[in-house]
Amino acid sequence: MAAGVGLLVVFLAWFAGPGLFGISNETKGTTVQAEVVQPAPCTGGATERVKFEFGGAPMEGSLNGCGHGQGERIEVVVPDGAAGDAVSVHAADATAGASDARRPLGLALLVFSCFAGGMYVFLVLRGPRVPVAA
């Protein structure tokens, strides 16, 4: 019974998709055209200043990037609810990191926890073993 429940949990987790383990590849923000105002060389911690229009108002923000020319037009992603002068944007074609290994690892840990829970149920239902005196 416990093995069947464990298999059911793993089956449902597999079809629930990457969102179950907190993995999301969708961009959280709006993609806009920006113009580089203050370029930065690619040495050390490079941060460029860009200007763009967001929500009908002109804004400036910092782009964690380097190597662009002054006046160059690039696409950036502005986070949802951005306001003020200290808006941090990132390039639209950049990603926050690869999440390909997290889903199999999360699923493997789920399988292991189901197995451990099933073994615990088995040991509790079996009861204590009484040693036989020789």
Side-chain angles (χ1 to χ4, degrees):
M1 178 71 174
V5 170
L7 287 174
L8 179 66
V9 167
V10 171
F11 178 76
L12 291 175
W14 180 262
F15 287 105
L20 178 67
F21 299 114
I23 302 170
S24 176
N25 292 331
E26 63 189 49
T27 57
K28 293 189 172 41
T30 306
T31 302
V32 297
Q33 285 284 328
E35 182 181 339
V36 177
V37 176
Q38 182 181 0
C42 292
T43 55
T47 302
E48 298 180 333
R49 298 291 301 167
V50 295
K51 67 178 180 178
F52 53 90
E53 190 170 310
F54 183 68
M59 297 181 76
E60 279 200 20
S62 61
L63 171 67
N64 190 5
C66 64
H68 298 104
Q70 186 163 355
E72 184 177 346
R73 309 268 312 157
I74 57 174
E75 285 191 339
V76 296
V77 176
V78 181
D80 292 334
D85 294 334
V87 177
S88 181
V89 298
H90 64 86
D93 57 354
T95 59
S99 62
D100 298 333
R102 292 187 291 182
R103 184 173 186 209
L105 179 62
L107 194 59
L109 290 173
L110 181 68
V111 168
F112 179 71
S113 67
C114 286
F115 175 75
M119 288 304 296
Y120 180 74
V121 168
F122 170 73
L123 291 174
V124 167
L125 290 179
R126 184 185 70 176
R129 290 231 167 163
V130 180
V132 178

